[in-house]
Amino acid sequence: MSCIRLHPSGHVVEAPQGATVLEALEKAGYALPNNCRAGACGECKVKVLEGQYDQGFVLDMALAPEERMKGFGLMCMAKPVSSELVIEWGTADAKPKLFPPREKQPYVVTDRIARTPRIIELRLRPTREAMRYWPGQYVMLGDAEAGVPLRSYSVANAPRNDGELVLQITRQDDGRTSAWVHEKLVPGARIEVSGPYGTFIGDPSVETPVLCMAAGSGLAPILALTEAALRRSYSDPVTLLFSASTQADLYDAGMMSWWEARHRNFRYRPTLTREQPADAKGLHGRIPAVLPTLFKDLSRHSIFVAGSPAFVDDCVAAAKALGARQDLIHTEGYFPQNPPQTPPAGQLLDVR
Amino acid sequence: MGKHEQLARRMALPPAIEQPNVYPLSWHAHTAKLEEVWDAAQREYWDPKKLDWASFDVSRYSWEEREAIAYWWTILSVFDASAPPVFAAALIKTYEAHEEDPVRRCFFSVTRDEQNHEQVCGLAITKLLEHADPLTYVPKTEIGRKAQRNAQWLYYNGARYWAGYKNAVPKYSLAVLFSSFLMGEIAAATIFHQMAAKCTEPVFKEAFRNIGRDEGRHMAICMQLMERDYPKMDLSDKPLITKQIRAGYLFLSGVLFEPPEDFWDIPADFVAFQREIEAVARKAGFHIPEYEAKKENWRSAMLNLKGVLDKYGIAFPAIPEVGITGQEVSDADMVDIIPVF
């Protein structure tokens, strides 16, 4: 058994005998771009700072001799030989490096679905390169020329090959951008998308039970994070609490049901605040109020909360009252007028 | 066909099945890496029809430019659009040779990917020419007429290659095939990465990027199979591989470089026409590497292949055209070659 230490965070991943570095990282939840898995394409190239490894046989076109000299290796074929291998991965807090945002990327609205009386779901496809992003991040939409200010909307799906983005957008009272979205963005519309922004990407190394709490279209980033986690066969319990005013405001119940059917560790609990639930097992009341009826101790849970700032604050307070640790709490207070939050340069991937 | 003798009337169990045959079936798996590649192929699958063809406004190009760009896609189609049947034949061979299950699936994934690449050729040509094939299309300019004349010869030579391939595949072991496949994939990856890097038309750029990534997985499959088989290879196969690499160089030069006249059956002015057509395409913003860049890319691709074959002690053929020394091969012929793209 060797261990892989991630630099600069110092996080350690165990590498079982015979496993490649890529396999070990994936098993621990640390993603690395990859494609061919056998030393031919070069997409999983990283710099190895310390330790010995068996690179196996790889093509020069995937890893040039001068790159080897500089310490780079292909992790899809690399197997640790020394007891410890130190590689460059992510940031000081073991978050993955983020993709630099790009402005005005052309997209086409391919579909539009009314999810609730106030929330529509848009599906967008890129006409050029797909935007690379991490689940949980958001994009900015608007049309400055038409006097429609840019507003931030979380991406509701994990990245897909075809580059499709799913956005769930609530119509705000007096919200010019959300009105524009609801009235103008019909299938076929061409729009410009800027992003990705934000750092609400969770902790890829998390190995704890997970509690997600969302209200309204705050569900969007939670959906993306959950989809990504379930996609990589996350095995600890995941509970998703979703707060809505009425039955009509609950959406994506079909997807929740499918996730529950597919993943034994996933549990979905909707709660209604303004009417009694139709389902006898349904919850009634705001999440902070129902939380103690569902959990006695949250000291081992990773907590993800997304919604309005007030909703986030109340949920965090309720979770902390049940022992939740600050370092395991991740929040996304949705406030559409916020300027885009570009991560600091040190947290961005160098994609020259 | 003679009437089948009912053996079951006099035998408790049937006789051993004469090979090669796809039966009996089995699902052995020994090469874990290939299972990973298969999973990646499933994950990375894409649909050519879903590329943004609507963004490709052909009316922004003159007919001369459209015919010139369509000509490049026609050249590519000789190699890339024949790949589905080529790999389908190889897929059948993996069944008849009772290859392990992940190997068969990987070859299926290659066949499926190549079908996508063929579709891209067809979609591009059809959109550019507003006609479904380059041979019955009525050219609108002198460049178009030259392109069509060359296209006739390209497909004629393609037909010679296909006849040779069909003849050759049953004769060679899969081990011999793998190195030729790898050569084609290295060549393809070289082209698509350079086209993706320089292309400005969004739909082509995306297509080139996707195809280039597919080729990366295809190379990985070949390399894994070589790693599995070459250390215990029948020594008599090694000279065959050397010869096939030389043949592959000559054949694939048709798309990576320029078709050599002693191997390709083409008119004396074929290359001159091609250079003229490519110049028009370049001027229209469709980046086709210039002669020297093609030569350097081809050389680099061959050196990559040489690096692989050196590892297994297989002599590399001399490729004087790009300045690579090695074993002289003088009898490479299209009648029995197996390089693929």
Side-chain angles (χ1 to χ4, degrees):
Chain A
M1 177 79 77
S2 299
C3 72
I4 300 158
R5 186 176 297 278
L6 308 180
H7 177 82
S9 68
H11 276 224
V12 172
V13 171
E14 286 187 347
Q17 189 65 33
T20 63
V21 174
L22 176 61
E23 285 171 320
L25 290 176
E26 284 178 336
K27 195 162 180 287
Y30 293 95
L32 199 60
N34 68 87
N35 169 36
C36 81
R37 317 280 303 191
C41 75
E43 290 193 30
C44 63
K45 196 180 299 171
V46 303
K47 193 165 192 174
V48 179
L49 303 173
E50 282 176 45
Q52 281 75 50
Y53 60 100
D54 175 5
Q55 177 61 91
F57 186 62
V58 302
L59 280 179
D60 280 354
M61 64 198 295
L63 182 67
E66 54 271 24
E67 290 174 316
R68 289 178 192 239
M69 295 290 290
K70 290 177 185 167
F72 286 93
L74 299 185
M75 297 303 100
C76 69
M77 291 291 282
K79 292 179 179 175
V81 172
S82 52
S83 59
E84 182 174 277
L85 201 63
V86 182
I87 67 169
E88 272 189 355
W89 192 96
T91 61
D93 55 354
K95 295 277 177 64
K97 290 263 186 176
L98 302 176
F99 300 103
R102 285 180 293 143
E103 292 189 351
K104 298 186 174 181
Q105 300 168 72
Y107 276 75
V108 173
V109 179
T110 54
D111 204 358
R112 166 190 169 114
I113 304 158
R115 289 295 181 195
T116 76
R118 291 174 66 88
I119 298 174
I120 60 158
E121 178 171 297
L122 293 182
R123 289 174 178 259
L124 313 175
R125 286 272 175 94
T127 61
R128 295 197 186 149
E129 237 174 297
M131 184 182 81
R132 301 188 73 184
Y133 67 96
W134 284 90
Q137 290 192 284
Y138 62 85
V139 295
M140 304 285 289
L141 288 189
D143 185 352
E145 286 176 19
V148 179
L150 286 175
R151 293 290 179 255
S152 52
Y153 299 107
S154 290
V155 181
N157 62 308
R160 289 174 197 166
N161 270 354
D162 56 16
E164 182 172 82
L165 299 180
V166 177
L167 304 178
Q168 295 167 339
I169 299 174
T170 305
R171 181 158 196 157
Q172 305 288 346
D173 300 327
D174 306 317
R176 264 187 302 170
T177 307
S178 68
W180 169 76
V181 167
H182 277 246
E183 289 160 19
K184 304 282 187 195
L185 296 193
V186 295
R190 289 176 175 244
I191 57 168
E192 290 177 333
V193 173
S194 299
Y197 300 108
T199 56
F200 180 65
I201 58 170
D203 177 357
S205 66
V206 67
E207 288 177 352
T208 69
V210 171
L211 168 62
C212 301
M213 296 179 270
S217 47
L219 183 63
I222 298 289
L223 286 175
L225 286 163
T226 308
E227 182 190 341
L230 295 177
R231 204 193 265 179
R232 69 174 172 91
S233 306
Y234 191 76
S235 55
D236 279 290
V238 176
T239 304
L240 171 49
L241 287 180
F242 181 40
S243 174
S245 299
T246 68
Q247 194 71 33
D249 298 309
L250 288 178
Y251 70 97
D252 266 347
M255 180 60 75
M256 300 298 126
S257 183
W258 183 72
W259 279 350
E260 281 187 318
R262 289 274 298 146
H263 304 281
R264 279 181 304 122
N265 58 322
F266 177 74
R267 193 166 60 124
Y268 169 63
R269 300 300 305 273
T271 181
L272 300 182
T273 57
R274 291 193 192 164
E275 63 181 38
Q276 289 297 328
D279 181 350
K281 284 191 291 185
L283 299 166
H284 175 66
R286 295 180 70 245
I287 285 179
V290 301
L291 201 56
T293 68
L294 302 171
F295 296 93
K296 294 287 169 272
D297 177 9
L298 290 175
S299 61
R300 292 189 55 257
H301 277 69
S302 293
I303 312 282
F304 294 83
V305 195
S308 68
F311 169 82
V312 169
D313 290 348
D314 291 351
C315 287
V316 167
K320 282 184 171 174
L322 293 167
R325 287 164 40 191
Q326 181 61 45
D327 60 323
L328 292 180
I329 295 174
H330 310 268
T331 63
E332 181 76 314
Y334 176 70
F335 192 65
Q337 282 78 9
N338 278 352
Q341 183 198 1
T342 303
Q347 204 177 334
L348 292 177
L349 267 176
D350 183 0
V351 290
R352 278 169 299 170
Chain B
M1 189 174 157
K3 188 174 183 306
H4 174 71
E5 183 195 358
Q6 290 287 355
L7 297 183
R9 290 175 188 164
R10 57 183 179 82
M11 294 172 77
L13 288 172
I17 297 168
E18 194 178 327
Q19 297 298 328
N21 195 301
V22 300
Y23 295 97
L25 292 167
S26 62
W27 289 267
H28 296 282
H30 309 291
T31 313
K33 264 284 168 198
L34 290 174
E35 194 66 44
E36 273 189 66
V37 180
W38 164 257
D39 289 341
Q42 294 291 83
R43 193 178 61 233
E44 302 289 342
Y45 189 71
W46 55 285
D47 181 351
K49 282 205 304 190
K50 288 183 179 165
L51 297 175
D52 186 26
W53 293 98
S55 73
F56 180 38
D57 180 6
V58 288
S59 67
R60 290 188 299 113
Y61 297 89
S62 69
W63 271 107
E64 196 174 56
E65 290 169 334
R66 286 164 68 167
E67 288 169 335
I69 297 169
Y71 175 73
W72 184 87
W73 284 101
T74 303
I75 296 174
L76 184 68
S77 76
V78 174
F79 301 87
D80 226 1
S82 64
V86 161
F87 274 104
L91 172 65
I92 291 169
K93 194 174 172 85
T94 64
Y95 274 83
E96 290 192 330
H98 303 283
E99 263 292 356
E100 47 178 311
D101 173 42
V103 173
R104 300 195 308 250
R105 275 184 283 120
C106 279
F107 269 73
F108 172 76
S109 78
V110 176
T111 310
R112 188 178 58 177
D113 291 341
E114 296 297 346
Q115 179 66 46
N116 275 357
H117 308 174
E118 182 244 287
Q119 280 184 58
V120 172
C121 290
L123 287 161
I125 289 168
T126 303
K127 202 158 171 69
L128 284 158
L129 300 183
E130 293 176 14
H131 189 83
D133 77 88
L135 298 194
T136 64
Y137 161 76
V138 179
K140 295 182 175 51
T141 71
E142 185 57 25
I143 280 290
R145 280 182 279 282
K146 288 177 175 176
Q148 187 168 70
R149 196 288 309 263
N150 270 17
Q152 297 271 9
W153 285 104
L154 284 168
Y155 282 177
Y156 169 75
N157 280 276
R160 289 175 62 219
Y161 156 72
W162 173 245
Y165 179 82
K166 275 195 304 186
N167 178 48
V169 161
K171 291 196 308 196
Y172 295 116
S173 67
L174 277 166
V176 172
L177 288 171
F178 295 149
S179 53
S180 285
F181 289 171
L182 178 62
M183 179 181 193
E185 303 299 356
I186 288 177
T190 301
I191 278 202
F192 292 118
H193 286 307
Q194 75 198 18
M195 294 302 284
K198 298 284 174 68
C199 191
T200 52
E201 198 62 67
V203 69
F204 291 161
K205 194 177 182 73
E206 184 73 1
F208 289 142
R209 194 186 74 88
N210 290 349
I211 296 172
R213 296 187 81 229
D214 289 347
E215 304 297 356
R217 289 194 309 278
H218 303 174
M219 286 191 282
I221 293 166
C222 296
M223 285 164 63
Q224 283 300 306
L225 290 167
M226 290 162 81
E227 188 151 349
R228 184 195 69 177
D229 293 346
Y230 276 29
K232 51 181 190 291
M233 175 188 269
D234 180 345
L235 289 177
S236 66
D237 277 344
K238 292 190 176 184
L240 282 177
I241 290 174
T242 305
K243 179 180 164 181
Q244 286 295 340
I245 298 303
R246 175 65 192 163
Y249 168 80
L250 295 166
F251 178 61
L252 295 168
S253 286
V255 64
L256 267 104
F257 195 20
E258 286 180 343
E261 283 181 43
D262 52 348
F263 190 81
W264 285 71
D265 184 358
I266 47 176
D269 54 4
F270 181 98
V271 170
F273 277 20
Q274 182 159 304
R275 289 180 181 180
E276 188 184 346
I277 297 163
E278 286 185 350
V280 173
R282 270 187 215 107
K283 214 169 162 192
F286 188 75
H287 176 85
I288 302 168
E290 301 270 6
Y291 179 88
E292 284 303 326
K294 281 183 183 180
K295 189 173 172 179
E296 187 46 44
N297 289 336
W298 205 188
R299 175 184 156 80
S300 162
M302 295 304 285
L303 288 174
N304 264 281
L305 181 66
K306 186 175 186 298
V308 177
L309 296 185
D310 284 354
K311 182 187 177 204
Y312 301 110
I314 295 166
F316 202 73
I319 313 280
E321 296 88 340
V322 293
I324 296 174
T325 55
Q327 189 171 308
E328 291 298 329
V329 175
S330 56
D331 58 341
D333 194 320
M334 237 193 230
V335 298
D336 65 347
I337 63 162
I338 47 176
V340 297
F341 196 64

